[in-house]
Every structure is written in structure tokens, then in C-alpha cells.
Amino acid sequence: MCKVSILVPIYKCENFVYKCADSLFSQTFEDVEFIFYDDCSPDRSVQVIESCSKKYPNRKDQVRIISGKYNVGVAAARNLLLAEANGEYIWYIDSDDWIEPNSITLLYHTAIASNADVVSFGFYCENKKRTTMRLFSYSSLEECLKDVISSNWGVVWRFFFRRTVATENNIMFSASYKGGEDYVFCAKFLLSSCAVSCVIKPLYHYVTYNTESLMSTKDFDSLRHQYEATLDVERILLKKNILKLYASDLNQRKLFIVKSFDCYFS
């Protein structure tokens, strides 16, 4: 067992993944494993990662690249990565994004100091024309959950997770979703957690201009799945008899998706 597992699904990212891998391998944190899942990417993404790893011979035994036999999609790829992880904490990274120096050290030490099941942090949104920054601060787990349920960046790369919360509660990504699988995973994880901590600094660079990325695809099915994911979370809250507590947040999420449908059809 190691302290941290970095989990990266790989698909059509050869023009971006070197910067991603370099930001990972250059981290100062030592007790870490880097697991990449090649989801039958048709480009040179894997070769790019292997090339980058040669710069860091000290990381040789910490890097694993798992090659899938056929394309399974990002949700199933993340489940496979979770099954392979050995870390006390896990961090999902998208292969076209990158992280700030010393991010792993800061997140791990924050998690340990506060005994947190999940650590939230800020990020940079990288647009071709400009870079914007988003920061988050929560005084309680409930506040964090309300924020995520209302559709404020309920994405897995925005959180540093204690692995056993996911494995012991059978929290996985729904492979049937083409959109919204992050949202459901984050909601389930937070509902199963006992404590959240925050790093009020941007540690992640989220790239919005990779047109090859699965995350950039906004078609009718992805929007429909976003709505179905919302209904999935609604059913979970109802089952736990706490729907009333989060009803306004859930309605805000539904309104956001309805507006997205309006934009799609206009």
C-alpha cells in the first residue's frame, strides 16, 4: 500500500498528455503510484507518456500503464483504475489537464492533518483566450454536498478522495452514462463521507479546448444522461430520507440542465 494513487484514463490525448504526465512525475511527493489506463487510444498517447517517464528514472517503479483490450469509455476506465489502486488516497486526473507543483504533498498533508475523507481545492480553467480561477471553501460536509448537488463543478478531478470510502461503500461510476457519471460519483462519495477539508488554492489546470476529449462532447445523449444522473441522485436522497434538505439545490441543477437543452435546440 502507498499513500497516494494518481489515476489517469487515456484516450486521444497525444497533444496534451506530455504536459499532464510531466506535471505528475515532477511532483515532490514520494510515496505515490501513477496508474494510466489506455482505453484503446488510436493515437500515440501511450508512447508520449513513456517518453516523458524517461526523464524521471526515479519514478520507474511507480508508473503503470494498463492497456485495455477494447474501448470501454471513461466511466468504466475509472472503475478499472480504482480497482487497481493501492493508495490511501486517490486523485483522478484527466489526461489533457495538468497540476501545480507540490499539489500532491499539500493535499495529502491536508487530508491527514484534518482526517478528511475528501479534500476540495481550486482550479484554473484554461481557455485558449484566457485563464480564469475558481476557488472553493466549505465549513461543513453538508455545505460541500449542497454545492455539488446544485451543479457547481461536481467533477472527480476537483476532489482528493480517501480510497476506502469508495471501495467499502461500493461507489463506482455508472458505465451506462455518457454524461453525469462524475456528478453521481461525487454525490455518493460525499454522502458516505464523515469529513471534508479545503485547500483554498488553485492546484489543477482544467483544459477546455481539447476537441478530441470525451469531456468536450455535448450532444443530445450526454445532456439526457446529465438529467438522468440528476434523477439518480434524487432517488438516492429520497431513499436516505434527506431529499427535503437538498431539494432547492437539486432543482437548481435541473434548471441548469433544462437551460442546456434550450441552448442545444436553439
Side-chain angles (χ1 to χ4, degrees), residues 179-191:
E181 67 279 355
D182 278 38
Y183 175 71
V184 178
F185 183 95
C186 288
K188 286 182 176 180
F189 195 99
L190 290 168
L191 283 166

Side-chain angles (χ1 to χ4, degrees), residues 2-263:
C2 58
K3 292 178 178 176
V4 178
S5 297
I6 302 298
L7 309 178
V8 190
I10 300 297
Y11 190 76
K12 286 188 178 181
C13 55
E14 67 174 327
N15 294 325
F16 299 87
V17 75
Y18 190 95
K19 189 168 188 176
C20 174
D22 192 60
S23 76
L24 299 178
F25 301 152
S26 61
Q27 294 286 307
T28 56
F29 198 81
E30 290 297 329
D31 194 6
V32 58
E33 63 178 358
F34 304 94
I35 311 177
F36 299 85
Y37 184 83
D38 172 24
D39 196 17
C40 295
S41 186
D43 58 8
R44 297 184 64 259
S45 295
V46 170
Q47 292 92 318
V48 172
I49 295 168
E50 292 172 339
S51 173
C52 182
S53 69
K54 291 176 181 178
K55 283 178 56 181
Y56 302 92
N58 59 310
R59 297 294 193 190
K60 183 179 179 181
D61 295 333
Q62 298 174 323
V63 179
R64 277 193 288 157
I65 301 176
I66 301 169
S67 297
K69 292 182 179 180
Y70 51 89
N71 180 263
V72 295
V74 66
R78 285 173 174 160
N79 288 334
L80 290 164
L81 284 164
L82 178 58
E84 293 287 335
N86 298 294
E88 182 182 359
Y89 285 86
I90 59 172
W91 190 5
Y92 284 103
I93 307 290
D94 283 354
S95 57
D96 46 2
D97 302 335
W98 74 94
I99 64 174
E100 285 286 293
N102 302 318
S103 293
I104 301 175
T105 299
L106 180 56
L107 287 170
Y108 182 77
H109 288 167
T110 299
I112 293 301
S114 57
N115 194 28
D117 290 326
V118 58
V119 181
S120 167
F121 50 90
F123 65 91
Y124 294 104
C125 191
E126 300 287 348
N127 186 287
K128 275 190 173 182
K129 294 183 178 180
R130 61 173 184 160
T131 297
T132 55
M133 182 172 65
R134 296 292 301 269
L135 298 176
F136 304 87
S137 177
Y138 305 116
S139 59
S140 67
L141 187 62
E142 181 183 311
E143 184 182 355
C144 179
L145 183 57
K146 287 174 75 69
D147 198 36
V148 167
I149 287 175
S150 70
S151 200
N152 193 9
W153 293 97
V155 287
V156 288
W157 49 256
R158 192 170 80 77
F159 296 102
F160 190 71
F161 298 110
R162 191 192 300 273
R163 180 176 60 89
T164 53
V165 173
T167 56
E168 292 176 2
N169 293 280
N170 197 32
I171 300 171
M172 301 176 69
F173 296 88
S174 174
S176 64
Y177 286 146
K178 192 179 177 182
E181 67 279 355
D182 278 38
Y183 175 71
V184 178
F185 183 95
C186 288
K188 286 182 176 180
F189 195 99
L190 290 168
L191 283 166
S192 300
S193 299
C194 294
V196 63
S197 189
C198 300
V199 173
I200 311 175
K201 289 179 62 175
L203 302 180
Y204 192 95
H205 293 259
Y206 167 56
V207 171
T208 64
Y209 49 84
N210 178 12
T211 57
E212 295 290 343
S213 169
L214 288 175
M215 304 307 292
S216 68
T217 305
K218 298 296 181 186
D219 57 18
F220 178 80
D221 280 343
S222 68
L223 291 174
R224 177 171 59 85
H225 289 159
Q226 288 281 358
Y227 191 77
E228 290 176 358
T230 307
L231 297 180
D232 195 1
V233 170
E234 185 173 44
R235 285 189 290 269
I236 294 168
L237 297 173
L238 184 61
K239 187 176 181 179
K240 290 181 176 290
N241 201 29
I242 54 173
L243 178 58
K244 187 175 181 180
L245 183 62
Y246 299 99
S248 62
D249 308 296
L250 203 62
N251 287 335
Q252 187 174 333
R253 160 87 175 180
K254 289 178 181 178
L255 181 60
F256 170 78
I257 296 172
V258 168
K259 288 181 178 178
S260 297
F261 271 112
D262 288 342
C263 291

